[in-house]
Amino acid sequence: MLKKREKLLNSRDISWLSFNGRVLEEAAKDEVPLLERLKFLAIYSSNLDEFYRVRIPVLMALKELKKRAIASQKLIKKGILKKTKKIIETQQAYFGSILKQHIIPDLKNKNIHLVYNEDIPDCIKKKTDRFFFDTIAAFLEIIHPEQKAFSPKNNQLYLAADFGDANKGLALVSIPSDEIPRFFHTQIENTHYVVLIDDIIRANLKYIFTQIPQCVFSFKVTRDAELDLQDEFNGDLANEIEKLLVLRDYGMATRFLYAPGVPQPTLNHLIRCLQLEHANHIEGGVYHNLKDFFAFPIRDQQLQYAKLPVAEITYQHASLFEEIKHRDLLLHTPYHSYDPILRFFNEAVLNPEVEEIFITLYRVATNSQIVHALISAAKNGKRVTVFVELKARFDEANNIKWAKRMENAGIRIIYSDQKLKVHAKISLVKLRANAPLNAIALLSTGNFNENTAKTYTDHSLFTSSSFITGELDLLFTYLSSTSFGKEYPALPFQHLLVAKFNLLPTFLHHINNEINRALNGEEAAIIIKLNNLEEEKLIHKLYEASQAGVKIHLIVRSICRIRPGIPGLSENIRIVRIVDRYLEHGRIFVFHNGGNERVFLGSSDWMDRNIYRRIEVCFPIYNEELKQQIKQMLTLQLQDDIAAVQLDKNAQNVELAEGTTRSQEEIHKLIHASFRDLMYQ
């Protein structure tokens, strides 16, 4: 198992870094609005932090295993960790040049002075000093690591002060960016000044220490994000995860990131004091956690993407439920308003014929309207069952909070098995047995989260088809049963594709069908859009299809282990990656099938975890007009020659010849011009 996992790692991490490099390229584009370029820097920084918390610990562990006697098994490709570090170093140097040589000067030209690695201007010094005493001081922590054992929290910012004195030694000062905003903002006449609180603290160290430090530098420690849940754990899962979340902030250190120019003896002393000998020691910039640019305090619509109006549904019946009774509806967010999804649950709260509501929740909004509706439904006498995934990485605490509130309201809460995540995005509303409509369903490619829906492109199907609702009922019955997570019966899914049951064999069947058609001289084609593609059986089957002559177009946002354009193997495979104002998130699968196309949407990427260790649901689109909508959107994305790049056989981004098609803009125009009317005529 370990050997197979490492085979994937050898290329998956380089591929992922290629994606993050593409994010960085967007920050460098002059045509991207200035404040949006700062956001892309924030996205890059946030992604890299997650990489060090999730991917690097695995590489470090495997490297250690190799050292210990498993070298003969060749578990880890030689130099992969070193190569990964080199790529990151190159990208971070590029990050610094984009920020310092382009964005900061461009901000200054717009009368926005980001004080960056320079003295705080005299004209605002009194204001920053006052902010230090009035606000910052209340949150400061002063630590003397030589006097008391201390373990820095994950990604917490600190200043280290070296006094060059054997008696004084080292002292640490927290930078409380998790308690107060990272940036101080003030305006004098027409100029906006933005100062990092790091510099305000540094400028006021004389009020903290009686002696002036000889050397002051910033640092942070990034730690492993894995929660060590025991396979045999049988207690309260929510309580156990809450305990582990506290410990996660002090897990294995994977990266010690420090400012440049620190004297080596000082650095060595700090590493020993904080027991960071086994972490990756990386010299970075003067500032860390620049994902905080997400909260940059300047808001100027002229320096941001122009707001695009969302398409609204025109209802032809008195209610959304009545609309769904007459036809399937397909929502494309954020091009469409998210309101119909909120209304779906709100109508379930009020409709007297509704008896039961089932839903899976993976990443819940901070103040979820959907959860509020579910709580109201339970109070109104509906039977509500919610499957909450407590192991949604970095959303565990928020999910636990909502799970407890729902349970207190009388909702039946079911947590997934320790080793099996429920990643499906599905909901079923069941009505009275003698009601005109027995059940309606909502199936999506994205989380039921109204916040992320503003920036993630996803697709959501509303349907009353008995084929779909019947199989959803079967799936929810299984998830509610005592056998969930323990055994996998042969449930008879004929329409839904459900991981752990029929998802993998069905996809393999459809690829084989295209292979057979190509070998018989018929037209054969596959279009797939995913976030990540790494599962070996499906990859080998796509290679086989390419060799048979099947034309394969892939739109893959992040990890992609397929290598296109290799003669005799993958010359019929083309892969594009799109990075633009919205995060491409929807998963789409189109098989030509002799002209009678089979179209599926769903929650599942083609990764080991999605195929083998999660409950995922992909669902068919049967309505021909809705199929055409999906095809038109995919066609525009495959034609994109502005926001898209093409992947080469080394998984590197290849810029396309400058063109005229930006798919997200064209899809927005298309939806407003035609889909809006097609869906609800």
Side-chain angles (χ1 to χ4, degrees):
M1 183 66 178
L2 187 60
K3 185 174 181 179
K4 183 175 182 180
R5 187 179 182 189
E6 183 46 35
K7 283 176 70 179
L8 302 179
L9 283 169
N10 287 338
S11 60
R12 71 176 293 186
D13 292 311
I14 303 303
S15 175
W16 185 92
L17 290 171
S18 171
F19 157 66
N20 213 26
R22 174 66 188 88
V23 172
L24 205 51
E25 290 168 4
E26 204 67 11
K29 292 182 178 179
D30 290 334
E31 62 269 26
V32 174
L34 189 51
L35 295 181
E36 304 295 345
R37 292 166 66 190
L38 269 181
K39 273 188 189 174
F40 279 111
L41 290 183
I43 293 168
Y44 173 86
S45 181
S46 178
N47 286 348
L48 189 59
D49 275 349
E50 183 171 338
F51 186 79
Y52 269 97
R53 296 194 70 187
V54 177
R55 306 303 320 148
I56 288 294
V58 178
L59 289 174
M60 291 172 66
L62 288 165
K63 183 179 180 182
E64 188 62 28
L65 284 174
K66 181 184 176 184
K67 286 179 181 175
R68 286 183 196 169
I70 322 180
S72 61
Q73 296 182 27
K74 297 181 180 178
L75 286 176
I76 185 163
K77 187 176 179 181
K78 185 177 180 181
I80 187 68
L81 188 55
K82 185 176 180 180
K83 185 176 182 181
T84 296
K85 290 180 181 178
K86 186 65 178 175
I87 293 172
I88 292 172
E89 286 174 6
T90 302
Q91 289 181 349
Q92 287 187 304
Y94 187 35
F95 182 107
S97 69
I98 293 170
L99 179 60
K100 291 181 283 189
Q101 298 173 25
H102 299 280
I103 292 180
I104 289 177
D106 289 349
L107 286 170
K108 194 166 284 189
N109 289 336
K110 300 294 183 182
N111 295 321
I112 302 168
H113 184 174
L114 173 58
V115 179
Y116 194 90
N117 199 20
E118 60 180 294
D119 292 336
I120 297 173
D122 291 338
C123 62
I124 63 169
K125 191 71 170 59
K126 287 184 178 179
K127 291 188 175 184
T128 58
D129 287 350
R130 181 179 299 170
F131 185 71
F132 173 78
F133 284 108
D134 291 352
T135 302
I136 297 176
F139 300 95
L140 291 182
E141 182 182 4
I142 317 300
I143 306 111
H144 297 278
E146 295 156 313
Q147 300 173 15
K148 184 179 179 180
F150 177 72
S151 184
K153 289 178 64 175
N154 173 66
N155 279 343
Q156 173 70 57
L157 300 174
Y158 298 91
L159 289 177
D162 183 4
F163 295 91
D165 183 322
N167 294 321
K168 290 283 187 179
L170 282 170
L172 311 181
V173 182
S174 65
I175 300 173
S177 56
D178 56 338
E179 302 282 355
I180 59 176
R182 181 78 181 281
F183 300 100
F184 170 81
H185 170 225
T186 189
Q187 183 175 355
I188 296 179
E189 295 180 348
N190 292 326
T191 301
H192 292 269
Y193 292 90
V194 179
V195 186
L196 286 96
I197 61 172
D198 318 33
D199 289 332
I200 298 176
I201 296 170
R202 187 190 299 263
N204 287 278
L205 289 178
K206 60 188 176 184
Y207 299 111
I208 299 175
F209 304 114
T210 56
Q211 183 178 337
I212 297 176
Q214 289 188 1
C215 172
V216 178
F217 61 96
S218 61
F219 74 91
K220 77 170 185 177
V221 175
T222 304
R223 299 186 180 276
D224 184 359
E226 192 62 37
L227 295 179
D228 187 18
L229 271 176
Q230 299 301 315
D231 290 346
E232 304 304 319
F233 176 74
N234 293 314
D236 187 317
L237 186 59
N239 286 341
E240 182 67 10
I241 289 180
E242 282 187 301
K243 293 175 185 176
L244 293 173
L245 287 176
V246 175
L247 297 176
R248 183 162 71 180
D249 271 343
Y250 301 97
M252 180 185 72
T254 59
R255 175 177 59 168
F256 170 53
L257 185 64
Y258 55 91
V262 182
Q264 195 62 46
T266 300
L267 201 59
N268 292 341
H269 185 43
L270 183 61
I271 289 169
R272 285 194 301 271
C273 284
L274 302 181
Q275 299 181 343
L276 299 173
E277 289 87 352
H278 298 292
N280 292 283
H281 304 153
I282 299 173
E283 184 179 85
V286 174
Y287 307 97
H288 317 301
N289 276 7
L290 291 183
K291 60 188 177 185
D292 289 337
F293 278 137
F294 280 125
F296 194 69
I298 304 298
R299 295 289 181 266
D300 185 339
Q301 195 56 53
Q302 293 183 337
L303 303 180
Q304 297 171 265
Y305 285 128
K307 288 186 177 180
L308 297 176
V310 295
E312 299 285 353
I313 289 178
T314 301
Y315 293 97
Q316 299 202 0
H317 297 88
S319 71
L320 176 62
F321 282 16
E322 190 68 17
E323 293 281 340
I324 299 169
K325 176 183 174 182
H326 286 84
R327 66 175 66 83
D328 288 353
L329 307 178
L330 190 59
L331 208 63
H332 310 291
T333 51
Y335 306 105
H336 282 112
S337 167
Y338 198 71
D339 287 348
I341 291 178
L342 301 179
R343 181 166 177 169
F344 177 86
F345 295 103
N346 292 343
E347 287 196 15
V349 171
L350 300 175
N351 192 319
E353 294 184 333
V354 169
E355 293 186 335
E356 290 187 87
I357 304 171
F358 296 85
I359 186 174
T360 58
L361 292 178
Y362 191 75
R363 298 192 188 276
V364 185
T366 305
N367 186 25
S368 174
Q369 295 182 54
I370 291 172
V371 173
H372 281 298
L374 296 172
I375 290 172
S376 294
K379 290 179 178 178
N380 290 349
K382 320 290 187 186
R383 295 192 298 277
V384 182
T385 302
V386 179
F387 300 83
V388 180
E389 181 49 72
L390 294 185
K391 303 182 298 299
R393 185 180 283 129
F394 306 129
D395 279 276
E396 300 97 340
N398 187 55
N399 287 5
I400 288 171
K401 176 194 76 173
W402 282 116
K404 289 183 175 180
R405 287 191 62 177
M406 288 187 285
E407 199 161 28
N408 290 337
I411 293 175
R412 182 188 182 194
I413 300 295
I414 298 176
Y415 302 130
S416 60
D417 181 76
Q418 288 96 289
K419 295 180 287 186
L420 183 68
K421 287 185 178 181
V422 176
H423 189 251
K425 291 83 169 70
I426 51 177
S427 182
L428 178 69
V429 173
K430 297 174 70 174
L431 294 87
R432 287 187 294 104
N434 60 348
L437 189 65
N438 296 123
I440 56 173
L442 170 59
L443 307 96
S444 185
T445 65
N447 298 302
F448 295 127
N449 184 318
E450 58 267 31
N451 293 340
T452 55
K454 297 172 184 175
T455 53
Y456 288 24
T457 67
D458 276 304
H459 313 279
S460 300
L461 176 70
F462 300 92
T463 184
S464 60
S465 162
S466 59
F467 300 124
I468 302 298
T469 59
E471 292 193 357
L472 271 185
D473 195 11
L474 178 65
L475 177 58
F476 277 122
T477 299
Y478 166 69
L479 294 177
S480 305
S481 70
T482 56
S483 63
F484 169 50
K486 297 181 177 65
E487 55 186 272
Y488 304 100
L491 298 179
F493 295 114
Q494 299 296 320
H495 301 272
L496 298 181
L497 311 188
V498 183
K500 304 295 295 184
F501 296 97
N502 66 333
L503 185 143
L504 177 60
T506 303
F507 279 137
L508 291 172
H509 164 77
H510 285 299
I511 300 173
N512 277 326
N513 180 48
E514 297 303 317
I515 291 172
N516 292 333
R517 290 180 182 277
L519 293 175
N520 289 331
E522 301 177 41
E523 183 179 355
I526 298 171
I527 303 174
I528 297 173
K529 180 182 176 184
L530 293 161
N531 296 333
N532 301 293
L533 199 168
E534 71 163 19
E535 200 283 326
E536 289 192 339
K537 287 183 181 178
L538 290 162
I539 286 175
H540 290 316
K541 187 58 67 173
L542 288 176
Y543 281 146
E544 183 183 339
S546 171
Q547 292 171 303
V550 180
K551 299 300 180 184
I552 301 170
H553 294 277
L554 305 176
I555 304 169
V556 185
R557 188 188 79 208
S558 184
I559 297 168
C560 183
R561 292 189 60 235
I562 282 191
R563 300 294 172 256
I566 298 175
L569 178 68
S570 57
E571 64 264 47
N572 287 312
I573 298 177
R574 177 176 181 254
I575 307 174
V576 299
R577 167 180 286 151
I578 298 170
V579 175
D580 207 343
R581 68 182 294 171
Y582 301 134
L583 181 76
E584 294 293 341
H585 190 255
R587 290 87 165 182
I588 306 173
F589 312 88
V590 179
F591 303 94
H592 186 263
N593 193 37
N596 181 24
E597 289 167 324
R598 300 300 309 272
V599 178
F600 299 91
L601 309 178
S603 62
S604 181
D605 285 317
W606 281 5
M607 301 181 74
D608 276 21
R609 67 188 187 193
N610 303 90
I611 302 295
Y612 302 110
R613 299 191 298 276
R614 292 182 173 184
I615 295 293
E616 303 275 7
V617 173
C618 292
F619 48 94
I621 301 298
Y622 291 137
N623 180 281
E624 289 301 321
E625 286 184 349
L626 301 187
K627 280 186 185 180
Q628 289 307 309
Q629 289 180 26
I630 294 295
K631 280 290 301 297
Q632 286 177 274
M633 296 173 78
L634 289 174
T635 298
L636 287 170
Q637 291 183 322
L638 292 171
Q639 292 173 348
D640 194 318
D641 48 16
I642 296 177
V645 294
Q646 191 162 308
L647 298 193
D648 65 13
K649 63 182 179 181
N650 297 314
Q652 296 303 303
N653 302 315
V654 177
E655 295 285 343
L656 299 168
E658 189 172 346
T660 58
T661 302
R662 184 179 224 113
S663 59
Q664 291 188 357
E665 288 184 359
E666 296 304 318
I667 289 170
H668 178 267
K669 293 176 186 175
L670 185 67
I671 286 176
H672 275 259
S674 57
F675 287 6
R676 178 182 52 190
D677 299 325
L678 274 175
M679 289 172 65
Y680 307 109
Q681 63 187 4

